[in-house]
Amino acid sequence: MIRRIWGAYRRLRLGTRLALGLGALALVVFAIVGTALTTYMRDYLSAQLNDQLKLAQVAQSKSILDSGSLTGKKYYRWYYAVYDVSDGAPVLRRPEDAGDMPEDPDSVDDLTALARAQTVTGAEVLRTEHLKGEGLYRLRACEVEPGVVLVSGAPMDAIEGTVRHLITVQVVTFGLALLALVVFGRALLRRGLKPLSDMAHTAHGIASHDLTESASRLHLRADAPGGGPEVEELRTAFNTMLEHIDDSLAVRARAEQRLRRFVADASHELRTPLMSVRGYADLFQYAAANEPEERDRHLARLRAEAARMGVLLDDLLLLARLDAAEVETPLRMEDADLVALVEQAADAFRASHPGHPLTVRPGPASVRLRLDPHRIRQVLDNLLTNAAVHTPAGTPVSVAVSLTPGAALVRIADKGPGIPSGDRARVFDRFYRVDKARSRDRGGSGLGLAVARSLVDAHGGSLTLADAPAPTVFTLTLPTAHTPA
């Protein structure tokens, strides 16, 4: 039973549960306050009755001393009994001198027992007794003179009636106050928790969105004001979370677009050499088998296309390994001289591109770094080759090595026509060519700069393109005190 009640309580809305909890707390407070007030009122009225009994007995004592009997003022339904103490035992005087007595003998015995207790203790005695047929009485016994004891009894009906009336007023008042507290408290809590309900509706709206779509965005936000600092803090955290999810979805959408473009470009780049290999193989099989010169020419073309496809696959594999650098790094780190690598790359460039004058500007004699010399040389060769391929014959190219606090810089510049402003933001994208016709007589597969930047990033450095459209300046930055993991 208790489990079912607890289960039903937990299924209630938060505002209702808070209102009920507040009502239960208020009920406990009301019970404590009511009990304390009732106890205080009962004790206060009892003390007043005790004082009234004492004053009445003082007056009756004078009457007994003066006339030997009770002749003073008597209150309605009050009882008086005079006892003479003989041999330590109280004896009730004759009825005409004893005072007003209860009719029931058992009640008289209660008065006699109180007189006996006073005789034993020698001091006044107060006691509450229920007199048969009369109700609850407050009894007081005192010594009038040596050997004479007066017992008085006052009804407590007025006190009990007042206490019962007080309890009734308290129950009604506290009940109405409790009802008002629960009702109005529920309304106030519902209003205060409305921002939380708005956030719940926003969450339901988000749940109804199809987030599997590539273009999915979360434009819903919890914008309803109010609720206090705590709710405002929760609303801010909630909206921040939604912003983060929205940004993550945007990043995922861009990543999926890049992946689709990458797969399409990779398929296109691989399809061309594969078709060439297939075509040359068909020619070799059907037309050139009996012509040695033609056969050798077709074999050379087959090898060239296979080599071109191998270079493309090597670049793709290298990019994949760089993307998974936390699992497997393709770098072989060692101490090497960056200036020596630049000079080697310059010598190779002069030998392979004699039509482009190359100048190595003065700089530090030696720059020792922790790097992979083979991969950094690959980056330098790629940047120099781009400068030759994408500029007219005779265009000067320059290389400069410099040092800054914490980094070494290699600046490669050419005085060619530069890169159009619309293409500058995407020159490091995979398979991207400035030549929209995708021709291969100027430039390779479009992976060179992407591979170069990924290699530099793996070293903890950066590869950037200067903002000015011309001349074209690439800056390679490597940290002087960085050891990649």
Side-chain angles (χ1 to χ4, degrees):
M1 181 64 181
I2 297 178
R3 276 188 168 183
R4 287 198 298 270
I5 295 175
W6 177 249
Y9 172 78
R10 296 187 63 181
R11 286 192 295 270
L12 296 175
R13 295 184 65 85
L14 178 60
T16 303
R17 286 192 289 169
L18 289 175
L20 291 177
L22 185 62
L25 180 61
L27 182 61
V28 173
V29 173
F30 289 162
I32 294 174
V33 172
T35 301
L37 183 60
T38 302
T39 303
Y40 171 78
M41 180 60 69
R42 185 190 298 273
D43 293 342
Y44 176 76
L45 295 176
S46 297
Q48 281 191 329
L49 185 59
N50 292 338
D51 294 339
Q52 192 175 3
L53 274 171
K54 183 176 181 180
L55 292 175
Q57 284 189 330
V58 170
Q60 295 295 342
S61 297
K62 292 180 180 180
S63 173
I64 294 174
L65 292 174
D66 293 341
S67 61
S69 62
L70 294 173
T71 60
K73 181 180 179 181
K74 300 177 182 179
Y75 296 99
Y76 175 67
R77 293 187 60 204
W78 282 46
Y79 295 125
Y80 307 93
V82 180
Y83 292 86
D84 295 315
V85 180
S86 176
D87 297 330
V91 178
L92 183 65
R93 288 185 179 181
R94 59 184 185 275
E96 58 272 15
D97 296 328
D100 295 336
M101 299 288 294
E103 296 181 359
D104 189 270
D106 292 337
S107 299
V108 176
D109 292 341
D110 291 334
L111 300 180
T112 304
L114 191 64
R116 188 179 301 112
Q118 195 282 330
T119 302
V120 173
T121 59
E124 66 178 33
V125 178
L126 284 169
R127 188 177 297 173
T128 300
E129 297 288 347
H130 186 276
L131 301 184
K132 187 174 181 181
E134 301 293 339
L136 201 62
Y137 268 72
R138 186 69 169 169
L139 304 179
R140 185 177 188 272
C142 66
E143 187 178 42
V144 175
E145 60 179 347
V148 179
V149 175
L150 173 62
V151 178
S152 301
M156 299 184 67
D157 296 346
I159 295 178
E160 294 301 317
T162 302
V163 171
R164 283 194 297 270
H165 183 68
L166 177 62
I167 292 175
T168 302
V169 172
Q170 287 179 347
V171 169
V172 174
T173 304
F174 288 166
L176 293 176
L178 182 63
L179 179 61
L181 179 65
V182 172
V183 173
F184 290 104
R186 176 67 183 94
L188 290 176
L189 287 171
R190 180 179 300 173
R191 183 176 180 181
L193 294 175
K194 188 177 184 302
L196 297 181
S197 300
D198 294 337
M199 280 185 266
H201 290 314
T202 303
H204 287 304
I206 293 171
S208 64
H209 278 65
D210 185 6
L211 300 181
T212 60
E213 296 293 335
S214 300
S216 295
R217 297 298 299 271
L218 295 177
H219 300 291
L220 296 175
R221 296 294 183 272
D223 298 326
E230 294 81 3
V231 176
E232 184 64 30
E233 183 179 355
L234 177 61
R235 183 188 299 111
T236 301
F238 185 74
N239 288 333
T240 302
M241 179 191 67
L242 293 182
E243 291 286 350
H244 178 69
I245 295 175
D246 199 14
D247 294 341
S248 300
L249 290 174
V251 171
R252 187 192 71 174
R254 289 194 297 268
E256 289 181 354
Q257 291 176 359
R258 286 197 301 269
L259 179 61
R260 292 191 184 99
R261 186 168 60 247
F262 177 81
V263 172
D265 291 339
S267 301
H268 181 83
E269 295 294 337
L270 289 173
R271 182 174 178 272
T272 301
L274 285 174
M275 293 298 294
S276 299
V277 168
R278 181 178 178 182
Y280 288 130
D282 290 341
L283 287 175
F284 179 79
Q285 179 179 5
Y286 295 109
N290 298 321
E291 297 291 338
E293 295 181 0
E294 191 73 15
R295 180 185 62 189
D296 293 340
R297 187 167 62 253
H298 290 330
L299 286 175
R301 291 177 179 175
L302 280 170
R303 285 193 294 271
E305 293 295 335
R308 179 182 163 196
M309 187 165 54
V311 170
L312 177 61
L313 291 175
D314 288 342
D315 288 342
L316 291 175
L317 179 60
L318 177 60
L319 285 172
R321 294 177 65 190
L322 290 172
D323 289 341
E326 68 278 2
V327 178
E328 175 189 7
T329 176
L331 304 180
R332 294 180 175 86
M333 308 300 292
E334 59 183 72
D335 291 331
D337 187 357
L338 180 62
V339 175
L341 291 175
V342 171
E343 292 176 349
Q344 294 171 11
D347 293 339
F349 179 80
R350 292 189 185 100
S352 58
H353 301 89
H356 288 76
L358 175 65
T359 302
V360 179
R361 300 187 181 280
S366 177
V367 178
R368 303 292 300 183
L369 298 176
R370 183 76 176 169
L371 48 78
D372 185 336
H374 174 71
R375 295 304 184 185
I376 293 300
R377 173 64 188 278
Q378 180 181 352
V379 173
L380 295 172
D381 290 340
N382 179 276
L383 296 175
L384 290 172
T385 301
N386 276 347
V389 171
H390 296 288
T391 59
T395 301
V397 181
S398 64
V399 181
V401 180
S402 61
L403 285 173
T404 60
L409 281 67
V410 180
R411 183 176 179 271
I412 300 176
D414 65 71
K415 295 185 178 180
I419 300 175
S421 58
D423 298 314
R424 299 176 65 81
R426 297 189 58 191
V427 294
F428 293 104
D429 290 353
R430 300 174 184 183
F431 293 110
Y432 185 78
R433 295 190 187 89
V434 176
D435 184 359
K436 300 301 187 294
R438 303 183 62 89
S439 63
R440 293 168 180 80
D441 57 342
R442 301 179 63 193
S445 62
L447 291 176
L449 289 177
V451 172
R453 170 171 274 188
S454 297
L455 286 172
V456 176
D457 290 343
H459 281 80
S462 63
L463 180 61
T464 59
L465 175 63
D467 294 334
T472 302
V473 180
F474 286 95
T475 302
L476 166 63
T477 304
L478 293 174
T480 56
H482 176 78
T483 303

